[in-house]
Every structure is written in C-alpha cells, then in structure tokens.
Amino acid sequence: MREQELPNPGWGPLSALPGNPLIWVLILSEMLVFMAFFALYSSERAAQVALFDASQQQLDPLLGGLNTLVLLTSGLCVALAVEATASERIRRARQWLAAAMGLGVLFGVIKVVEYSSKFAIGITPDTNTFFGFYYGLTAFHFAHVLFGLALLGLVSWRTSLENVETAAAFWHMVDLIWILLYPLLYLLR
C-alpha cells in the first residue's frame, strides 16, 4: 500500500491503523500500565498462593462471566457501528453505538452490584493483598469503561468514520483488558 493510500499517512508504523493515531499511542501506553499491574499481581500471587486461592473463592465467576458476555457483545455493537459508518448509514451507526453504550452501562451496574455484595460482607480493598488487587484492577478498568462510554457518546454526536474508528479502537482495548482480567482474577488457580 502506498503512503498516500494509508488512513494516516506520515505517522510511521501507526499510518495503517484505523482512527486517529493518537488513540493508538494512548492504547499502547494503557496496555503497558495494565501489563505492569498484571506482572505485579502474578508475582504476589506466586508468593501467596493459598491466600489468593481462598480469596478468589469469594468472587462470583458467573457475574464476572456475565460481564464478559456483556462487554464482548458491546464490542460487537461497536464493530457494527464502524461498518455502518463506513457504509454511510449514520442512523444505523448511532443505533449500534447506543446499544454498545447501553451494554457498557449494564457492565457498570453488574460491577457495582458485585462491589456492593463484597462490601456488605466486609470485604474491602484492605481485606488482603488479593482484594487490594481485585478492587484496584477492576476499578482502574471501570474508569476506562466510563471514559470509553464518554467517547462513544461523543462520536454518536460527531459521527464520522475516523471518530467512530477512534472510539472503537479504545472500546476494543477495554474489551481486551477485561478478557485478561476475568480469568486472572476469577478463574485461574
């Protein structure tokens, strides 16, 4: 592909990526931050296997799994919004974006229910190392969900292919992080 045919000519390795290249800089930096947290979590888990296993038993993998399904479905809606925008079906793109945002809000509601149930029985970030990581990692991810919802709302209003692709790239990063967080926190023993 010639330089002039790329979505973002002049951005070097970012030239062929969809959306605004600066979102990819943000995504890469956020992925590095999460990877550092995952490495620290893994190190602590290896040092405190019994504590992490016992604490993990207090999480509800069904709620985590439901949230995985909700978030991945929202990612599908965002992908369909990109497709609709590329086909110049703006009304349909906005409908897909609204569906994605609704599912993003549902993800948040489920997460708040989960947090509330833990707090109700006295499990807080100070309970132990595992729950410090659990709350820290999931709250940091939840902050990204909220930022992603704001981006999706913004591109619903200012709908263009570049804008929707930019928001979609960020939203898919949010999906990817959760796909890594869910088994790490809820399933792996």
Side-chain angles (χ1 to χ4, degrees):
M1 188 177 270
R2 293 186 351 229
E3 179 75 14
Q4 301 90 327
E5 296 172 357
L6 296 171
N8 300 295
W11 279 87
L14 301 178
S15 294
L17 296 172
N20 188 304
L22 290 177
I23 199 69
W24 292 98
V25 173
L26 176 65
I27 288 169
L28 291 172
S29 64
E30 292 300 304
M31 293 296 290
L32 288 173
V33 170
F34 271 105
M35 291 306 117
F37 284 136
F38 292 166
L40 185 58
Y41 172 88
S42 297
S43 172
E44 288 295 320
R45 188 182 200 314
Q48 303 177 60
V49 174
L51 174 90
F52 274 59
D53 284 348
S55 299
Q56 201 175 37
Q57 295 294 324
Q58 297 178 64
L59 296 182
D60 186 345
L62 290 177
L63 278 181
L66 178 60
N67 252 350
T68 303
L69 180 62
V70 166
L71 207 53
L72 290 176
T73 304
S74 74
L76 172 63
C77 292
V78 168
L80 292 170
V82 170
E83 181 182 293
T85 306
S87 305
E88 298 181 7
R89 295 176 295 141
I90 302 304
R91 184 168 183 251
R92 174 65 67 193
R94 288 179 174 150
Q95 291 169 337
W96 284 121
L97 289 168
M101 288 185 291
L103 289 166
V105 168
L106 178 58
F107 176 92
V109 167
I110 294 167
K111 185 51 58 193
V112 167
V113 165
E114 190 174 9
Y115 285 160
S116 298
S117 71
K118 297 294 166 256
F119 276 107
I121 59 173
I123 297 174
T124 69
D126 295 328
T127 298
N128 61 35
T129 308
F130 173 83
F131 282 108
F133 275 108
Y134 165 76
Y135 282 109
L137 286 168
T138 59
F140 191 47
H141 176 264
F142 191 44
H144 286 76
V145 169
L146 295 175
F147 181 74
L149 286 171
L151 275 179
L152 294 176
L154 182 63
V155 303
S156 293
W157 171 57
R158 303 282 295 196
T159 310
S160 70
L161 184 57
E162 180 183 19
N163 288 350
V164 175
E165 285 178 337
T166 299
F170 186 85
W171 195 252
H172 292 315
M173 184 222 33
V174 170
D175 288 348
L176 175 61
I177 295 298
W178 184 256
I179 288 170
L180 297 172
L181 269 178
Y182 173 58
L184 189 68
L185 294 174
Y186 291 80
L187 303 176
L188 295 177
R189 305 253 190 270

